[in-house]
Amino acid sequence: MSFARSAWKILVAIKDGLVLLFMLMFFGLIFAALSARPNAAAVHEGALVLDLDGTIVEEPETVDPLAVLAGSQMPVRQFRLQDVLNGIKTASEDEDVKAIVLDLDGFLGGGQVALEQVSEALGKAKKKGKPVLAFATFYGDSAYLLASQASEIWVDPMGGAAFAGPGGSGLYYRGLMDELGVKAHVYRVGTYKSAVEPYLRSDQSAESKEALKAVLDPLWQNWLDAVKKARPKAKVAEFAADPSGVAEPAKGNFARLAVNLGIADKLGSRADFGKRVAKLAGIDDEDIPGSFKHSLLADWNAANAPDTPGDPIAVVTVAGTIVDGDAGPGTAGGDRIVDLLEQGLKRDDIKALVVRVDSPGGSAFASEQIRRSIEAYRARKIPVVISMANLAASGGYWVATAGDRILAEPSTVTGSIGVFAVIPSFEDALGKWGVNADGVRTTPLSGQPDIVGGFSPEVETLIQSGVENDYSQFLSLVAKARGKTPEQVDAIAQGRIWDGGSARQIGLVDRFGSLDDALAEAAKLAKIDGEFHPVFLRSEASGFEAFLNDAFKPKPQGRKARGMIAQLAWQQQAVMAQIFGDMQMMLGGVGVQARCLECQSLVPASGAPQGMSWIRALIGD
């Protein structure tokens, strides 16, 4: 009896402890959520601080609290491009803002179009007389494109700068798959459709290298031109062309080298930088070295929402990998975007539609779903303008064929008009262990595709013909949209990617322009005489989902990759993410894909491949 009483007391104590623990977690979540929300009351006279500790994207991903709890680290923080641009624009026009401060110590980049637009906005603010000051321990390509517009660029004495340019090595799995006995059954159309090459080859094909170099060279030149225009005396091109030769006399002092080359203006610690800003913005707390009066971007935007004069123009964003289902934001779930477009159609006041595309493509089925929903606007005589951001390739271009006009930027990557499907089989791998497959068929497709016994010739022919049909449909859509014949489109298609300038020359886009230009074009097509404003059609989280997202939102004071070596090491984590993504695409039964593999290295990773189609139905879930 005494043992039972003791055991009961222990169980009660455990129960009470768990209750207390969950109560502490609950109230901790409430505190975290409340402290994470933007606060308009926190706006003060002084500097606007852009602490860009993460990446700039078109559409931030929703944080999955369960994934955060199960993972070993917090997700990368993401800043919506339009929020950053709005903050810079409104701050440049406000007399209470004495300076704009770029804290780039934890900046992890973004697509080149997004970075160019932020850089341009900073340049306009500086021309209006607003001082722009930048600080970082280390400046890479992305951070420097923004910092180049600064009135003063500060670098920590332990830091420096280095510029790599776009490009690098990809991963190829043919050797590993041969060792494991895994067969990749690949079905594709397009000489340049290299998304499947990692499963077929041990190196990059000559055609893929040719196409990729033709895109990366103009992107790099655009970067160099933008930096040179902002800081004509900085010896950036010389340093990038011969980094070891230029850096050798500095004997490893990269910070001093950056100043000597005109890449940076001042050497100093964060405290030294803060004292400089305080001379412009005022001292915030005399007891803390380097403190200055400031407002953070989220709080500033909460107090300075964009004006909404005139007629509304709907804007829907197709960002990230295009997948089947309700995925997103940050991933272009076909069902979710279709729902958003249908919500816009229900409004009687919408005068035009702008589709902002920032996607390497994905599911051909979901791309077609989205395209049809956009066509519903044109059927109601509502003009549609496509605004291409960093990427509008493959499935992203499939979606774009529904527009009356297509606008892109010189650094946009587009094209990749081609489709493919990949299905693995494991008969050789299992055979090594004495596992074989056998059975009875009633038709040539019984049990096919058989990933353990091998594919029959009939199913191979069936799938390839389906892929070829999807490619023909893709060509027809582009031909109709661009006033060409399918044969003319095929000559510039074949899965090849193009930079924005080349795409304009060959007729895949109409003209250059930003999102604002696309809105103006839509207003012109809709014959809006007066003012207009964008209405962004976005997925609204439920109250509980919003609470959890606020609670688990990555915080700016988290771990940062400071210094050249630390930043380079952090970038290598993306290699592991690519491996998992490539394996999921092959093993996950994602169906027919209109997707650009080369493009995905040009923007921060977003979303995960999923999908469904009749091929997936054959494979099974």
Side-chain angles (χ1 to χ4, degrees):
M1 184 64 70
S2 60
F3 173 77
R5 282 197 296 268
S6 298
W8 177 253
K9 288 181 180 179
I10 293 174
L11 291 174
V12 171
I14 293 174
K15 182 264 295 181
D16 291 342
L18 290 174
V19 170
L20 179 61
L21 177 62
F22 280 113
M23 288 182 64
L24 289 173
M25 290 179 61
F26 177 74
F27 287 110
L29 286 173
I30 291 178
F31 174 78
L34 292 176
S35 61
R37 290 180 179 175
N39 180 12
V43 171
H44 308 287
E45 180 180 348
L48 172 65
V49 175
L50 304 180
D51 185 2
L52 301 177
D53 185 18
T55 61
I56 295 176
V57 298
E58 284 292 329
E59 184 178 55
E61 294 178 352
T62 301
V63 177
D64 183 350
L66 294 179
V68 172
L69 290 174
S72 60
Q73 61 184 18
M74 289 292 288
V76 173
R77 198 171 185 223
Q78 296 179 328
F79 298 87
R80 192 187 303 273
L81 172 61
Q82 295 307 315
D83 292 343
V84 177
L85 295 177
N86 179 70
I88 296 171
K89 180 179 183 297
T90 52
S92 69
E93 299 167 348
D94 195 304
E95 294 181 355
D96 288 338
V97 177
K98 308 304 180 184
I100 297 175
V101 172
L102 290 173
D103 186 341
L104 300 171
D105 225 8
F107 187 49
L108 300 175
Q112 187 158 323
V113 168
L115 298 179
E116 288 173 352
Q117 290 179 348
V118 174
S119 177
E120 182 181 353
L122 290 167
K124 289 179 179 179
K126 186 173 64 174
K127 287 182 179 179
K128 290 182 178 180
K130 197 71 64 176
V132 178
L133 293 91
F135 176 86
T137 304
F138 172 78
Y139 291 97
D141 298 20
S142 296
Y144 198 72
L145 186 54
L146 305 189
S148 65
Q149 294 287 357
S151 316
E152 296 179 16
I153 300 178
W154 286 62
V155 62
D156 190 279
M158 292 291 289
F163 311 113
S169 298
L171 299 175
Y172 294 83
Y173 308 108
R174 177 62 185 268
L176 174 63
M177 293 172 67
D178 287 346
E179 287 291 329
L180 297 176
V182 178
K183 288 184 178 179
H185 298 263
V186 173
Y187 314 91
R188 64 170 172 172
V189 183
T191 303
Y192 298 92
K193 200 61 189 173
S194 58
V196 293
E197 286 193 352
Y199 313 110
L200 294 176
R201 301 175 57 96
S202 297
D203 58 1
Q204 191 174 20
S205 68
E207 293 83 2
S208 177
K209 287 184 178 180
E210 173 194 351
L212 190 56
K213 181 172 174 55
V215 169
L216 296 185
D217 284 349
L219 293 186
W220 177 234
Q221 191 60 53
N222 291 345
W223 187 93
L224 289 171
D225 292 344
V227 169
K228 184 174 181 59
K229 182 179 179 181
R231 296 185 73 84
K233 295 182 180 180
K235 298 180 180 179
V236 173
E238 296 89 332
F239 186 25
D242 184 19
S244 58
V246 173
E248 187 174 357
K251 299 186 183 302
N253 191 337
F254 297 110
R256 174 57 62 184
L257 175 66
V259 174
N260 292 341
L261 295 177
I263 292 170
D265 300 306
K266 303 284 186 180
L267 287 178
S269 65
R270 180 175 290 276
D272 296 330
F273 176 73
K275 291 175 183 178
R276 168 63 181 131
V277 178
K279 291 181 180 180
L280 299 171
I283 299 174
D284 186 38
D285 189 333
E286 295 184 6
D287 294 332
I288 301 177
S291 65
F292 53 89
K293 293 181 180 179
H294 69 278
S295 301
L296 297 177
L297 176 63
D299 298 328
W300 177 262
N301 279 337
N304 293 273
D307 295 331
T308 57
D311 293 318
I313 296 176
V315 180
V316 69
T317 303
V318 180
T321 304
I322 299 174
V323 301
D324 299 301
D326 199 31
T331 301
D335 291 350
R336 179 180 63 86
I337 294 174
V338 167
D339 288 343
L340 293 176
L341 288 165
E342 289 176 349
Q343 291 174 23
L345 271 181
K346 293 176 183 177
R347 296 183 51 157
D348 296 330
D349 58 340
I350 295 297
K351 303 297 183 182
L353 171 68
V354 172
V355 182
R356 181 70 165 174
V357 181
D358 191 26
S359 172
S363 164
F365 180 81
S367 300
E368 176 61 8
Q369 272 189 304
I370 297 170
R371 188 199 68 81
R372 291 173 185 171
S373 294
I374 297 171
E375 286 282 6
Y377 280 76
R378 298 176 68 184
R380 295 193 184 183
K381 307 302 181 183
I382 298 174
V384 177
V385 175
I386 306 297
S387 173
M388 293 183 172
N390 307 290
L391 298 175
S394 218
Y397 196 86
W398 190 307
V399 169
T401 61
D404 294 295
R405 299 283 190 280
I406 299 178
L407 275 63
E409 300 277 10
S411 295
T412 297
V413 176
T414 187
S416 191
I417 300 168
V419 296
F420 68 91
V422 182
I423 308 174
S425 67
F426 305 93
E427 63 270 27
D428 292 344
L430 295 173
K432 293 179 181 180
W433 296 91
V435 179
N436 298 297
D438 198 4
V440 176
R441 299 180 186 176
T442 56
T443 74
L445 292 182
S446 294
Q448 292 293 325
D450 187 350
I451 64 172
V452 296
F455 290 14
S456 68
E458 292 85 357
V459 78
E460 296 267 24
T461 301
L462 187 67
I463 297 175
Q464 178 63 34
S465 64
V467 169
E468 291 175 359
N469 177 72
D470 286 346
Y471 180 64
S472 297
Q473 182 182 357
F474 202 167
L475 293 181
S476 297
L477 290 172
V478 177
K480 181 179 178 182
R482 306 310 302 167
K484 299 177 180 291
T485 65
E487 292 74 23
Q488 289 174 323
V489 175
D490 188 42
I492 58 175
Q494 296 287 319
R496 181 162 186 163
I497 58 175
W498 305 91
D499 66 280
S502 299
R504 182 183 180 186
Q505 291 176 1
I506 62 178
L508 289 179
V509 303
D510 293 301
R511 66 181 182 88
F512 294 147
S514 64
L515 177 59
D516 287 341
D517 295 321
L519 288 165
E521 182 73 14
K524 179 181 177 181
L525 292 176
K527 299 180 180 180
I528 298 175
D529 295 327
E531 295 183 303
F532 56 88
H533 67 274
V535 174
F536 290 90
L537 305 178
R538 293 170 178 163
S539 302
E540 298 295 336
S542 67
F544 183 67
E545 289 174 334
F547 165 74
L548 289 177
N549 273 282
D550 283 338
F552 285 93
K553 185 183 297 180
K555 304 300 189 296
Q557 62 268 29
R559 178 182 176 185
K560 296 183 179 182
R562 293 191 172 99
M564 180 172 66
I565 304 301
Q567 286 230 352
L568 293 175
W570 184 93
Q571 292 172 10
Q572 297 312 304
Q573 295 182 21
V575 175
M576 295 304 299
Q578 180 184 342
I579 292 175
F580 287 120
D582 290 344
M583 291 299 101
Q584 184 177 358
M585 186 177 75
M586 185 176 71
L587 300 174
V590 294
V592 177
Q593 295 284 293
R595 185 177 177 188
C596 174
L597 179 67
E598 306 100 313
C599 304
Q600 296 182 146
S601 64
L602 302 176
V603 293
S606 178
Q610 301 175 26
M612 94 181 188
S613 69
W614 67 271
I615 291 181
R616 184 169 184 181
L618 283 174
I619 302 170
D621 291 326

